[in-house]
Amino acid sequence: MESESKTQNGDLSIYIHWPFCKSKCPYCDFMSISKNSSEEFDEVEILLLKDLETSLQELDVSSIRTIFFGGGTPSLMNAKTISKILNFITKNYKTNSNIEISLEANPATFSKEKLKEIKEVGVNRLSLGIQSFQDKDLKFLGRIYNSEQALKAAEMVTNIFSNYSFDFIYGYQSQSIDDLKNNLLMAVNFGCPHISCYQLTFEEGTPFFRLLQNGKIRQLTEAQEIEFFRYIQDFLERFSFNRYEISNYALKNFESKHNLAYWRYQNYLGVGPSAHSRLVFNNQKYELKKFSDIDKWKSSLYRNLSTYEYRNILMDYEQLEEIFVMGLRLSEGISIKSLKSRFSNDILDPILKRIDLLSKENLFKKSESQIKLSENGMLKQDSVVEFLFN
Ligand code: SF4
């Protein structure tokens, strides 16, 4: 892109996608390959750095707000790779004084020493994908570790990091409310300051999706979904956790700043195969996605071609819809003032009228300044957004 088309992206969040896992979990549709070869890791290290450098060159950025290593399984990355990426960013860009640098970790992919190295090179928040502390659940979810290893990993993380999250998957027929309670209690007893509870979803193309279609596993009923959702909230609220997003709970000041950037519709750059971005060029907001096919991503970098699979301008109406899809997930909701400063009345008024209609049905809580879903509305978020924008 020419220099005159550079546009201010303000504070930027950066997502780095590490595309390897030890093995593929049967419910997962993220881009990841089961590989563990040092040659491949070294090659991807060089290419990630190149992708990062060339992608950032296009942007005029005032400072870096957050960095997130996701994947895949970024706890498989060599600490030197993480260090090189962070050094590149901090040497060439201004970073916020309280920058959050997160890394997702899978139990059984790190030792105490490795975890210490990860911290020493600059990672200051760890997101541990435990999923469950119970053997039967881990087996069902196709995880590569048992409850003993999950416990050991949790202990290591709590001893080394002060800012961390335990991530759980819930909501399958073999899991009872008591099983869920034991997981949450374990996290609370560890003193964990942030807990994510994601309901199991059945994504097309995954082995779990096929099992669901063949009737080998069943989804929760709507009533069960509500029961689990309410149970998590009531349980964690008793321990001072605030549900700041549909699936995320935090003690005060431990919210994930990086994920808040997505939900608040701030600009972010995604680097690595399949990574998404929302960026501004020439005063226009774009949705961008890197090649999901790792060979295409690699060859475009070797040939100095664009690494983007697509790069589309988002029209005002599309941006408004994205703001609602993301912002209604948050308990804080969406600021009416910022909507009014960004969108014309022609676009905004019909949506606000529909919100008034839904408020009468108790799905929204609208104040002078914010639009938020009620608890009832949170449980029906997808159909609410569909009603607003169709
Ligand atoms: S470890 Fe995570 S990214 Fe890798 S396959 Fe399992 S769920 Fe997907």
Side-chain angles (χ1 to χ4, degrees), residues 21 23-25 27-28 30 32 71-73 106 143:
C21 289
S23 80
K24 193 81 194 166
C25 305
Y27 55 86
C28 173
F30 293 131
S32 73
T73 304
N106 183 333
R143 303 293 284 180

Side-chain angles (χ1 to χ4, degrees), residues 206-264:
T206 61
F208 266 19
F209 185 77
R210 287 191 288 280
L211 288 173
L212 184 71
Q213 284 192 317
N214 297 338
K216 301 261 166 60
I217 43 179
R218 279 186 297 126
Q219 264 173 308
L220 294 191
T221 62
E222 206 186 316
Q224 284 174 314
E225 276 179 17
I226 295 172
E227 193 189 356
F228 273 86
F229 181 81
R230 294 225 163 102
Y231 185 84
I232 296 168
Q233 170 156 342
D234 291 347
F235 183 95
L236 290 177
E237 272 180 359
R238 273 191 273 135
F239 292 93
S240 309
F241 281 84
N242 173 35
R243 191 190 66 206
Y244 68 105
E245 193 266 352
I246 282 185
S247 310
N248 284 277
Y249 299 79
L251 299 181
K252 200 164 183 278
N253 297 327
F254 282 95
E255 295 84 6
S256 159
K257 288 183 198 160
H258 184 85
N259 288 335
L260 276 172
Y262 298 147
W263 298 317
R264 288 178 177 158

Side-chain angles (χ1 to χ4, degrees), residues 24 40 93 110 120 142 156 169 175 187 201 234 249 267 291 294 314 320 338 369 372 380 388:
K24 193 81 194 166
E40 186 103 24
Y93 293 87
F110 56 84
E120 269 157 28
M156 284 192 258
I169 294 182
Q175 189 186 43
T201 52
D234 291 347
Y249 299 79
N267 295 321
F291 285 114
I294 193 163
L314 287 165
L320 184 64
S338 80
S369 61
K372 347 175 172 174
K380 296 179 183 148
L388 295 182

